[in-house]
Amino acid sequence: MPDVITVRVQTDSDSFQDVVVKIERPTYQKPFLGGFKNRMTGVEFHNAGSQTIPKKRLDKGIQLFCRETQTVFEKNKPQQTNNTTSTQMTKVGLYVSVVTDKIISPGKYLTADEYHERRLEAVIVLQKYFRRWHAMNIVQKLREKKRLRLAWEAQEELQKKKEKEKKLRRENDRRLNPKTKEDFELLYHALELWRQEETERINRTFTGAERKAALCGLLEEEAQLIASIGRHKLNADEENQHKAILNFLDKCAQPKRWKAYDGKITEMDTPNILRARELLEIYNSISMNDIPKDERIDVLGILRLTVKEHECKLTQEILELIDREVDLMSREVKECNLEGLRKRICTLFLQYVKTPKFNPEVAKILKVPPDPLKLYKNVNFCHSCESYLPSTEFPVPANSCTFGRCRLCCKLDNEARQRDAYLKYKLLLENLRKSEADYQDDAKIVFLVQHQDLQYMIENIWGCQSALSACSDLYDLVMVRWDKRHEWSPWNTILLTKDEADEHLKLCDLQKAYEAVFINRIKRKHIRTKKYFAQIPAMASFLHSSDNQAAAN
């Protein structure tokens, strides 16, 4: 349709007029107001809509919705219909029964003040009973909490008592049946304590020649005890050596393991692992005692077939010893006379097993590097035993600048003169390192400190007692951070019991938690520790960084 059209309008019965009409195009979509459809022709007819342009509303920046057509306003108004009632009275000619009637007499008139006063009294009574019930509930809960607290304290006390008794039993058992180096340290320490007590008793009781005789007797008794400890040590070393050998061979025979994506562990045996397992079974068989002669001959036959695969001086010597033992057993030689020969066979076969050429799997576990030139890099000289040993055999305290005596010489010197037990300090240092590793803040200083340094700190600076409760049992004491925001260091630590340490680490502000006198006392201990560690080159950088940080704070 064009924009302008001409419309002829009849103005009279005989006259017509042409009118020019301008058509305005709609700028919006007209709403659908309904309509109908012709079923025969299929033409759709829509209801007409207004062409007037609607008034535009101002844009407020908020999307509005009209709800007039959706909202229904309802009103409820009760209606009461009339109910006609009537009464019937006695009159002439009518009798009404009064059997069910009640006579009501008016009581005392109750004023509003009296009514409210009575209500107030009733409310007060109700409040009394409610408060009594509430107080009884509070008291009952407090009693229950007290009962649970006392039961928990009793259980904790019993648990501590049991742990202490268990610790004493374990320490007694370690002294009666020593097996490790720490056990013999405890034994020698107990011997030294006994010697000191006996010496004090003799000096206090005897004088002159009697005192000298008593001291000579004490010396002989001490020598006998030392000899007895030495025999126990030889037996324990032999047993520990046998266990170490079996553990070493068992490591070689372990299958390769890895975890799959579903969490299952997969194991795989390689030819080298099977070879190591076979050699382990042979070693277990030839090291067994009190087995029948026929089984021993079968074991030696298997050993012969295994060793024959390689020809060298070692295998030839093993074969000669096997032939000699078989020959002696055929001559009915006693078992006790064959022990030395069998030990030689076990020793040579162990040397055979530890050779990577015969047992390739052992090369991954051997501590000795395949290249002998690598041994000369970290070798130091011990002036005490005059031996060249690797650097790992020298205990180096944090305040030491040079290598001193090796571990074996230090142990012999301790057993001969001082007889100190370092087990408690080693446990303290081990627990400290575990707790610092849990922080995961890249702590370094704790791994530089040795148990000798920790012993000096505990004995000379902290006095072997807790800073709060003065508990002197080293098994119950731990070292933790003084300020948990910074990593542990000898000048950022405090010695507490385990329970006190747990509560100390929960504190957020040390200035509010502790008094100024206590804080100053701890600071003085930290200053003394800094003076002790100031001579250590490795600690110098940490000292400067801590001083700079303290100045910045």
PDB file of all heavy atoms in Angstrom, residues 371-405:
ATOM      1  N   ASP A 371      81.833 -47.028  41.448  1.00  0.00           N
ATOM      2  CA  ASP A 371      83.083 -46.371  41.079  1.00  0.00           C
ATOM      3  C   ASP A 371      83.907 -46.106  42.342  1.00  0.00           C
ATOM      4  O   ASP A 371      83.501 -45.321  43.200  1.00  0.00           O
ATOM      5  CB  ASP A 371      82.774 -45.047  40.356  1.00  0.00           C
ATOM      6  CG  ASP A 371      84.048 -44.413  39.784  1.00  0.00           C
ATOM      7  OD1 ASP A 371      85.105 -45.067  39.846  1.00  0.00           O
ATOM      8  OD2 ASP A 371      83.952 -43.278  39.293  1.00  0.00           O
ATOM      9  N   PRO A 372      85.083 -46.722  42.500  1.00  0.00           N
ATOM     10  CA  PRO A 372      85.891 -46.510  43.726  1.00  0.00           C
ATOM     11  C   PRO A 372      86.382 -45.079  43.871  1.00  0.00           C
ATOM     12  O   PRO A 372      86.690 -44.644  44.984  1.00  0.00           O
ATOM     13  CB  PRO A 372      87.063 -47.481  43.557  1.00  0.00           C
ATOM     14  CG  PRO A 372      86.633 -48.456  42.517  1.00  0.00           C
ATOM     15  CD  PRO A 372      85.691 -47.726  41.613  1.00  0.00           C
ATOM     16  N   LEU A 373      86.457 -44.324  42.779  1.00  0.00           N
ATOM     17  CA  LEU A 373      86.959 -42.958  42.881  1.00  0.00           C
ATOM     18  C   LEU A 373      86.023 -42.054  43.684  1.00  0.00           C
ATOM     19  O   LEU A 373      86.463 -41.038  44.230  1.00  0.00           O
ATOM     20  CB  LEU A 373      87.165 -42.377  41.472  1.00  0.00           C
ATOM     21  CG  LEU A 373      88.242 -43.080  40.615  1.00  0.00           C
ATOM     22  CD1 LEU A 373      88.288 -42.460  39.233  1.00  0.00           C
ATOM     23  CD2 LEU A 373      89.617 -42.967  41.292  1.00  0.00           C
ATOM     24  N   LYS A 374      84.747 -42.423  43.747  1.00  0.00           N
ATOM     25  CA  LYS A 374      83.802 -41.605  44.500  1.00  0.00           C
ATOM     26  C   LYS A 374      84.030 -41.710  46.007  1.00  0.00           C
ATOM     27  O   LYS A 374      83.561 -40.865  46.767  1.00  0.00           O
ATOM     28  CB  LYS A 374      82.369 -42.041  44.170  1.00  0.00           C
ATOM     29  CG  LYS A 374      81.951 -41.741  42.748  1.00  0.00           C
ATOM     30  CD  LYS A 374      80.513 -42.133  42.512  1.00  0.00           C
ATOM     31  CE  LYS A 374      80.087 -41.822  41.077  1.00  0.00           C
ATOM     32  NZ  LYS A 374      78.674 -42.205  40.834  1.00  0.00           N
ATOM     33  N   LEU A 375      84.737 -42.748  46.441  1.00  0.00           N
ATOM     34  CA  LEU A 375      84.985 -42.918  47.869  1.00  0.00           C
ATOM     35  C   LEU A 375      85.969 -41.886  48.402  1.00  0.00           C
ATOM     36  O   LEU A 375      86.023 -41.631  49.600  1.00  0.00           O
ATOM     37  CB  LEU A 375      85.521 -44.331  48.143  1.00  0.00           C
ATOM     38  CG  LEU A 375      84.537 -45.482  47.906  1.00  0.00           C
ATOM     39  CD1 LEU A 375      85.267 -46.803  48.067  1.00  0.00           C
ATOM     40  CD2 LEU A 375      83.376 -45.400  48.870  1.00  0.00           C
ATOM     41  N   TYR A 376      86.794 -41.304  47.537  1.00  0.00           N
ATOM     42  CA  TYR A 376      87.823 -40.384  47.993  1.00  0.00           C
ATOM     43  C   TYR A 376      87.319 -38.967  48.152  1.00  0.00           C
ATOM     44  O   TYR A 376      88.070 -38.094  48.594  1.00  0.00           O
ATOM     45  CB  TYR A 376      88.995 -40.400  46.998  1.00  0.00           C
ATOM     46  CG  TYR A 376      89.678 -41.750  46.892  1.00  0.00           C
ATOM     47  CD1 TYR A 376      89.397 -42.600  45.824  1.00  0.00           C
ATOM     48  CD2 TYR A 376      90.577 -42.167  47.859  1.00  0.00           C
ATOM     49  CE1 TYR A 376      90.003 -43.843  45.719  1.00  0.00           C
ATOM     50  CE2 TYR A 376      91.197 -43.410  47.764  1.00  0.00           C
ATOM     51  CZ  TYR A 376      90.909 -44.247  46.689  1.00  0.00           C
ATOM     52  OH  TYR A 376      91.503 -45.464  46.612  1.00  0.00           O
ATOM     53  N   LYS A 377      86.100 -38.696  47.812  1.00  0.00           N
ATOM     54  CA  LYS A 377      85.604 -37.323  47.857  1.00  0.00           C
ATOM     55  C   LYS A 377      85.246 -36.898  49.277  1.00  0.00           C
ATOM     56  O   LYS A 377      85.585 -35.803  49.710  1.00  0.00           O
ATOM     57  CB  LYS A 377      84.395 -37.174  46.934  1.00  0.00           C
ATOM     58  CG  LYS A 377      84.743 -37.308  45.460  1.00  0.00           C
ATOM     59  CD  LYS A 377      83.527 -37.070  44.588  1.00  0.00           C
ATOM     60  CE  LYS A 377      83.898 -37.181  43.101  1.00  0.00           C
ATOM     61  NZ  LYS A 377      82.713 -36.972  42.243  1.00  0.00           N
ATOM     62  N   ASN A 378      84.539 -37.744  50.034  1.00  0.00           N
ATOM     63  CA  ASN A 378      84.061 -37.387  51.362  1.00  0.00           C
ATOM     64  C   ASN A 378      84.679 -38.316  52.406  1.00  0.00           C
ATOM     65  O   ASN A 378      83.986 -38.999  53.149  1.00  0.00           O
ATOM     66  CB  ASN A 378      82.534 -37.471  51.435  1.00  0.00           C
ATOM     67  CG  ASN A 378      81.869 -36.462  50.524  1.00  0.00           C
ATOM     68  OD1 ASN A 378      82.314 -35.330  50.426  1.00  0.00           O
ATOM     69  ND2 ASN A 378      80.811 -36.876  49.862  1.00  0.00           N
ATOM     70  N   VAL A 379      85.986 -38.365  52.450  1.00  0.00           N
ATOM     71  CA  VAL A 379      86.710 -39.204  53.405  1.00  0.00           C
ATOM     72  C   VAL A 379      87.481 -38.295  54.353  1.00  0.00           C
ATOM     73  O   VAL A 379      88.151 -37.348  53.927  1.00  0.00           O
ATOM     74  CB  VAL A 379      87.663 -40.179  52.683  1.00  0.00           C
ATOM     75  CG1 VAL A 379      88.497 -40.950  53.689  1.00  0.00           C
ATOM     76  CG2 VAL A 379      86.872 -41.134  51.814  1.00  0.00           C
ATOM     77  N   ASN A 380      87.375 -38.590  55.673  1.00  0.00           N
ATOM     78  CA  ASN A 380      88.070 -37.809  56.689  1.00  0.00           C
ATOM     79  C   ASN A 380      88.857 -38.746  57.600  1.00  0.00           C
ATOM     80  O   ASN A 380      88.562 -39.949  57.694  1.00  0.00           O
ATOM     81  CB  ASN A 380      87.063 -36.992  57.512  1.00  0.00           C
ATOM     82  CG  ASN A 380      86.350 -35.965  56.665  1.00  0.00           C
ATOM     83  OD1 ASN A 380      86.878 -34.917  56.351  1.00  0.00           O
ATOM     84  ND2 ASN A 380      85.122 -36.290  56.279  1.00  0.00           N
ATOM     85  N   PHE A 381      89.830 -38.162  58.276  1.00  0.00           N
ATOM     86  CA  PHE A 381      90.744 -38.936  59.117  1.00  0.00           C
ATOM     87  C   PHE A 381      90.349 -38.752  60.576  1.00  0.00           C
ATOM     88  O   PHE A 381      90.181 -37.627  61.058  1.00  0.00           O
ATOM     89  CB  PHE A 381      92.191 -38.472  58.902  1.00  0.00           C
ATOM     90  CG  PHE A 381      93.195 -39.222  59.724  1.00  0.00           C
ATOM     91  CD1 PHE A 381      93.511 -40.539  59.425  1.00  0.00           C
ATOM     92  CD2 PHE A 381      93.815 -38.609  60.802  1.00  0.00           C
ATOM     93  CE1 PHE A 381      94.434 -41.220  60.187  1.00  0.00           C
ATOM     94  CE2 PHE A 381      94.747 -39.291  61.560  1.00  0.00           C
ATOM     95  CZ  PHE A 381      95.055 -40.615  61.255  1.00  0.00           C
ATOM     96  N   CYS A 382      90.193 -39.874  61.290  1.00  0.00           N
ATOM     97  CA  CYS A 382      89.884 -39.856  62.714  1.00  0.00           C
ATOM     98  C   CYS A 382      91.206 -39.928  63.483  1.00  0.00           C
ATOM     99  O   CYS A 382      91.944 -40.923  63.362  1.00  0.00           O
ATOM    100  CB  CYS A 382      88.964 -41.022  63.093  1.00  0.00           C
ATOM    101  SG  CYS A 382      88.613 -41.116  64.853  1.00  0.00           S
ATOM    102  N   HIS A 383      91.516 -38.921  64.273  1.00  0.00           N
ATOM    103  CA  HIS A 383      92.779 -38.874  65.009  1.00  0.00           C
ATOM    104  C   HIS A 383      92.785 -39.810  66.208  1.00  0.00           C
ATOM    105  O   HIS A 383      93.844 -40.051  66.786  1.00  0.00           O
ATOM    106  CB  HIS A 383      93.047 -37.442  65.478  1.00  0.00           C
ATOM    107  CG  HIS A 383      93.257 -36.483  64.352  1.00  0.00           C
ATOM    108  ND1 HIS A 383      94.452 -36.331  63.686  1.00  0.00           N
ATOM    109  CD2 HIS A 383      92.388 -35.625  63.732  1.00  0.00           C
ATOM    110  CE1 HIS A 383      94.340 -35.418  62.739  1.00  0.00           C
ATOM    111  NE2 HIS A 383      93.087 -34.968  62.740  1.00  0.00           N
ATOM    112  N   SER A 384      91.638 -40.324  66.582  1.00  0.00           N
ATOM    113  CA  SER A 384      91.581 -41.209  67.738  1.00  0.00           C
ATOM    114  C   SER A 384      91.901 -42.653  67.363  1.00  0.00           C
ATOM    115  O   SER A 384      92.814 -43.259  67.910  1.00  0.00           O
ATOM    116  CB  SER A 384      90.203 -41.135  68.388  1.00  0.00           C
ATOM    117  OG  SER A 384      90.140 -41.974  69.509  1.00  0.00           O
ATOM    118  N   CYS A 385      91.166 -43.203  66.388  1.00  0.00           N
ATOM    119  CA  CYS A 385      91.422 -44.579  65.938  1.00  0.00           C
ATOM    120  C   CYS A 385      92.338 -44.620  64.723  1.00  0.00           C
ATOM    121  O   CYS A 385      92.669 -45.717  64.241  1.00  0.00           O
ATOM    122  CB  CYS A 385      90.112 -45.287  65.640  1.00  0.00           C
ATOM    123  SG  CYS A 385      89.135 -44.535  64.323  1.00  0.00           S
ATOM    124  N   GLU A 386      92.721 -43.425  64.183  1.00  0.00           N
ATOM    125  CA  GLU A 386      93.625 -43.320  63.040  1.00  0.00           C
ATOM    126  C   GLU A 386      93.113 -44.127  61.840  1.00  0.00           C
ATOM    127  O   GLU A 386      93.823 -44.917  61.241  1.00  0.00           O
ATOM    128  CB  GLU A 386      95.029 -43.770  63.424  1.00  0.00           C
ATOM    129  CG  GLU A 386      95.670 -42.903  64.499  1.00  0.00           C
ATOM    130  CD  GLU A 386      97.083 -43.336  64.825  1.00  0.00           C
ATOM    131  OE1 GLU A 386      97.500 -44.404  64.320  1.00  0.00           O
ATOM    132  OE2 GLU A 386      97.770 -42.618  65.579  1.00  0.00           O
ATOM    133  N   SER A 387      91.842 -43.874  61.516  1.00  0.00           N
ATOM    134  CA  SER A 387      91.211 -44.555  60.383  1.00  0.00           C
ATOM    135  C   SER A 387      90.614 -43.511  59.459  1.00  0.00           C
ATOM    136  O   SER A 387      90.198 -42.420  59.897  1.00  0.00           O
ATOM    137  CB  SER A 387      90.115 -45.509  60.865  1.00  0.00           C
ATOM    138  OG  SER A 387      90.638 -46.472  61.729  1.00  0.00           O
ATOM    139  N   TYR A 388      90.593 -43.853  58.176  1.00  0.00           N
ATOM    140  CA  TYR A 388      89.961 -42.997  57.172  1.00  0.00           C
ATOM    141  C   TYR A 388      88.528 -43.489  56.978  1.00  0.00           C
ATOM    142  O   TYR A 388      88.296 -44.652  56.590  1.00  0.00           O
ATOM    143  CB  TYR A 388      90.721 -43.047  55.850  1.00  0.00           C
ATOM    144  CG  TYR A 388      92.046 -42.314  55.908  1.00  0.00           C
ATOM    145  CD1 TYR A 388      93.227 -43.000  56.196  1.00  0.00           C
ATOM    146  CD2 TYR A 388      92.109 -40.945  55.686  1.00  0.00           C
ATOM    147  CE1 TYR A 388      94.436 -42.338  56.245  1.00  0.00           C
ATOM    148  CE2 TYR A 388      93.320 -40.270  55.738  1.00  0.00           C
ATOM    149  CZ  TYR A 388      94.482 -40.965  56.019  1.00  0.00           C
ATOM    150  OH  TYR A 388      95.671 -40.300  56.084  1.00  0.00           O
ATOM    151  N   LEU A 389      87.560 -42.637  57.269  1.00  0.00           N
ATOM    152  CA  LEU A 389      86.147 -43.012  57.246  1.00  0.00           C
ATOM    153  C   LEU A 389      85.366 -41.969  56.465  1.00  0.00           C
ATOM    154  O   LEU A 389      85.796 -40.816  56.341  1.00  0.00           O
ATOM    155  CB  LEU A 389      85.598 -43.099  58.672  1.00  0.00           C
ATOM    156  CG  LEU A 389      86.263 -44.131  59.591  1.00  0.00           C
ATOM    157  CD1 LEU A 389      85.788 -43.939  61.017  1.00  0.00           C
ATOM    158  CD2 LEU A 389      85.968 -45.541  59.120  1.00  0.00           C
ATOM    159  N   PRO A 390      84.199 -42.346  55.925  1.00  0.00           N
ATOM    160  CA  PRO A 390      83.356 -41.344  55.243  1.00  0.00           C
ATOM    161  C   PRO A 390      82.835 -40.308  56.220  1.00  0.00           C
ATOM    162  O   PRO A 390      82.791 -40.518  57.438  1.00  0.00           O
ATOM    163  CB  PRO A 390      82.217 -42.184  54.638  1.00  0.00           C
ATOM    164  CG  PRO A 390      82.221 -43.450  55.406  1.00  0.00           C
ATOM    165  CD  PRO A 390      83.636 -43.710  55.823  1.00  0.00           C
ATOM    166  N   SER A 391      82.431 -39.173  55.674  1.00  0.00           N
ATOM    167  CA  SER A 391      82.008 -38.053  56.523  1.00  0.00           C
ATOM    168  C   SER A 391      80.757 -38.372  57.331  1.00  0.00           C
ATOM    169  O   SER A 391      80.507 -37.746  58.367  1.00  0.00           O
ATOM    170  CB  SER A 391      81.756 -36.812  55.657  1.00  0.00           C
ATOM    171  OG  SER A 391      80.774 -37.085  54.675  1.00  0.00           O
ATOM    172  N   THR A 392      79.958 -39.351  56.879  1.00  0.00           N
ATOM    173  CA  THR A 392      78.745 -39.700  57.628  1.00  0.00           C
ATOM    174  C   THR A 392      79.055 -40.385  58.950  1.00  0.00           C
ATOM    175  O   THR A 392      78.167 -40.485  59.807  1.00  0.00           O
ATOM    176  CB  THR A 392      77.863 -40.612  56.773  1.00  0.00           C
ATOM    177  OG1 THR A 392      78.628 -41.759  56.342  1.00  0.00           O
ATOM    178  CG2 THR A 392      77.329 -39.873  55.566  1.00  0.00           C
ATOM    179  N   GLU A 393      80.290 -40.866  59.137  1.00  0.00           N
ATOM    180  CA  GLU A 393      80.669 -41.546  60.376  1.00  0.00           C
ATOM    181  C   GLU A 393      81.172 -40.579  61.438  1.00  0.00           C
ATOM    182  O   GLU A 393      81.611 -41.023  62.511  1.00  0.00           O
ATOM    183  CB  GLU A 393      81.759 -42.587  60.085  1.00  0.00           C
ATOM    184  CG  GLU A 393      81.312 -43.731  59.198  1.00  0.00           C
ATOM    185  CD  GLU A 393      80.198 -44.557  59.828  1.00  0.00           C
ATOM    186  OE1 GLU A 393      80.219 -44.707  61.062  1.00  0.00           O
ATOM    187  OE2 GLU A 393      79.314 -45.023  59.096  1.00  0.00           O
ATOM    188  N   PHE A 394      81.123 -39.271  61.170  1.00  0.00           N
ATOM    189  CA  PHE A 394      81.603 -38.286  62.124  1.00  0.00           C
ATOM    190  C   PHE A 394      80.433 -37.449  62.612  1.00  0.00           C
ATOM    191  O   PHE A 394      79.767 -36.788  61.805  1.00  0.00           O
ATOM    192  CB  PHE A 394      82.658 -37.371  61.485  1.00  0.00           C
ATOM    193  CG  PHE A 394      83.945 -38.063  61.169  1.00  0.00           C
ATOM    194  CD1 PHE A 394      84.108 -38.762  59.975  1.00  0.00           C
ATOM    195  CD2 PHE A 394      84.997 -38.025  62.062  1.00  0.00           C
ATOM    196  CE1 PHE A 394      85.296 -39.402  59.678  1.00  0.00           C
ATOM    197  CE2 PHE A 394      86.201 -38.657  61.767  1.00  0.00           C
ATOM    198  CZ  PHE A 394      86.346 -39.355  60.584  1.00  0.00           C
ATOM    199  N   PRO A 395      80.147 -37.486  63.921  1.00  0.00           N
ATOM    200  CA  PRO A 395      79.102 -36.592  64.456  1.00  0.00           C
ATOM    201  C   PRO A 395      79.636 -35.169  64.556  1.00  0.00           C
ATOM    202  O   PRO A 395      80.636 -34.916  65.222  1.00  0.00           O
ATOM    203  CB  PRO A 395      78.806 -37.183  65.841  1.00  0.00           C
ATOM    204  CG  PRO A 395      80.060 -37.868  66.235  1.00  0.00           C
ATOM    205  CD  PRO A 395      80.718 -38.360  64.966  1.00  0.00           C
ATOM    206  N   VAL A 396      78.969 -34.252  63.890  1.00  0.00           N
ATOM    207  CA  VAL A 396      79.440 -32.861  63.860  1.00  0.00           C
ATOM    208  C   VAL A 396      78.397 -32.003  64.565  1.00  0.00           C
ATOM    209  O   VAL A 396      77.310 -31.781  64.025  1.00  0.00           O
ATOM    210  CB  VAL A 396      79.650 -32.368  62.415  1.00  0.00           C
ATOM    211  CG1 VAL A 396      80.202 -30.957  62.420  1.00  0.00           C
ATOM    212  CG2 VAL A 396      80.581 -33.308  61.671  1.00  0.00           C
ATOM    213  N   PRO A 397      78.685 -31.522  65.794  1.00  0.00           N
ATOM    214  CA  PRO A 397      77.747 -30.604  66.455  1.00  0.00           C
ATOM    215  C   PRO A 397      77.637 -29.285  65.707  1.00  0.00           C
ATOM    216  O   PRO A 397      78.459 -28.956  64.849  1.00  0.00           O
ATOM    217  CB  PRO A 397      78.360 -30.407  67.851  1.00  0.00           C
ATOM    218  CG  PRO A 397      79.332 -31.530  68.020  1.00  0.00           C
ATOM    219  CD  PRO A 397      79.825 -31.870  66.642  1.00  0.00           C
ATOM    220  N   ALA A 398      76.611 -28.517  66.046  1.00  0.00           N
ATOM    221  CA  ALA A 398      76.371 -27.252  65.333  1.00  0.00           C
ATOM    222  C   ALA A 398      77.469 -26.225  65.606  1.00  0.00           C
ATOM    223  O   ALA A 398      77.734 -25.366  64.776  1.00  0.00           O
ATOM    224  CB  ALA A 398      75.012 -26.679  65.730  1.00  0.00           C
ATOM    225  N   ASN A 399      78.138 -26.320  66.787  1.00  0.00           N
ATOM    226  CA  ASN A 399      79.173 -25.337  67.111  1.00  0.00           C
ATOM    227  C   ASN A 399      80.567 -25.815  66.757  1.00  0.00           C
ATOM    228  O   ASN A 399      81.548 -25.236  67.193  1.00  0.00           O
ATOM    229  CB  ASN A 399      79.114 -24.995  68.603  1.00  0.00           C
ATOM    230  CG  ASN A 399      79.332 -26.235  69.460  1.00  0.00           C
ATOM    231  OD1 ASN A 399      79.309 -27.352  68.964  1.00  0.00           O
ATOM    232  ND2 ASN A 399      79.529 -26.017  70.752  1.00  0.00           N
ATOM    233  N   SER A 400      80.668 -26.896  65.984  1.00  0.00           N
ATOM    234  CA  SER A 400      81.975 -27.436  65.603  1.00  0.00           C
ATOM    235  C   SER A 400      82.378 -26.904  64.237  1.00  0.00           C
ATOM    236  O   SER A 400      81.544 -26.760  63.335  1.00  0.00           O
ATOM    237  CB  SER A 400      81.931 -28.964  65.590  1.00  0.00           C
ATOM    238  OG  SER A 400      83.163 -29.489  65.167  1.00  0.00           O
ATOM    239  N   CYS A 401      83.679 -26.630  64.084  1.00  0.00           N
ATOM    240  CA  CYS A 401      84.195 -26.128  62.802  1.00  0.00           C
ATOM    241  C   CYS A 401      84.999 -27.182  62.057  1.00  0.00           C
ATOM    242  O   CYS A 401      85.221 -27.052  60.848  1.00  0.00           O
ATOM    243  CB  CYS A 401      85.073 -24.900  63.031  1.00  0.00           C
ATOM    244  SG  CYS A 401      84.192 -23.523  63.807  1.00  0.00           S
ATOM    245  N   THR A 402      85.495 -28.212  62.749  1.00  0.00           N
ATOM    246  CA  THR A 402      86.301 -29.260  62.129  1.00  0.00           C
ATOM    247  C   THR A 402      85.765 -30.620  62.529  1.00  0.00           C
ATOM    248  O   THR A 402      84.963 -30.755  63.463  1.00  0.00           O
ATOM    249  CB  THR A 402      87.775 -29.146  62.580  1.00  0.00           C
ATOM    250  OG1 THR A 402      87.820 -29.270  64.008  1.00  0.00           O
ATOM    251  CG2 THR A 402      88.369 -27.822  62.140  1.00  0.00           C
ATOM    252  N   PHE A 403      86.212 -31.653  61.803  1.00  0.00           N
ATOM    253  CA  PHE A 403      85.838 -33.017  62.131  1.00  0.00           C
ATOM    254  C   PHE A 403      86.664 -33.493  63.327  1.00  0.00           C
ATOM    255  O   PHE A 403      87.883 -33.310  63.376  1.00  0.00           O
ATOM    256  CB  PHE A 403      86.087 -33.952  60.942  1.00  0.00           C
ATOM    257  CG  PHE A 403      85.092 -33.785  59.845  1.00  0.00           C
ATOM    258  CD1 PHE A 403      85.361 -32.955  58.769  1.00  0.00           C
ATOM    259  CD2 PHE A 403      83.882 -34.433  59.895  1.00  0.00           C
ATOM    260  CE1 PHE A 403      84.443 -32.786  57.754  1.00  0.00           C
ATOM    261  CE2 PHE A 403      82.954 -34.278  58.884  1.00  0.00           C
ATOM    262  CZ  PHE A 403      83.229 -33.452  57.820  1.00  0.00           C
ATOM    263  N   GLY A 404      86.021 -34.103  64.290  1.00  0.00           N
ATOM    264  CA  GLY A 404      86.713 -34.626  65.462  1.00  0.00           C
ATOM    265  C   GLY A 404      86.850 -36.129  65.388  1.00  0.00           C
ATOM    266  O   GLY A 404      87.319 -36.685  64.387  1.00  0.00           O
ATOM    267  N   ARG A 405      86.403 -36.783  66.440  1.00  0.00           N
ATOM    268  CA  ARG A 405      86.466 -38.235  66.482  1.00  0.00           C
ATOM    269  C   ARG A 405      85.251 -38.842  65.786  1.00  0.00           C
ATOM    270  O   ARG A 405      84.197 -38.207  65.683  1.00  0.00           O
ATOM    271  CB  ARG A 405      86.525 -38.700  67.938  1.00  0.00           C
ATOM    272  CG  ARG A 405      87.807 -38.300  68.657  1.00  0.00           C
ATOM    273  CD  ARG A 405      87.750 -38.684  70.114  1.00  0.00           C
ATOM    274  NE  ARG A 405      86.669 -38.005  70.813  1.00  0.00           N
ATOM    275  CZ  ARG A 405      86.397 -38.187  72.110  1.00  0.00           C
ATOM    276  NH1 ARG A 405      87.122 -39.031  72.815  1.00  0.00           N
ATOM    277  NH2 ARG A 405      85.412 -37.537  72.680  1.00  0.00           N
TER     278      ARG A 405
END
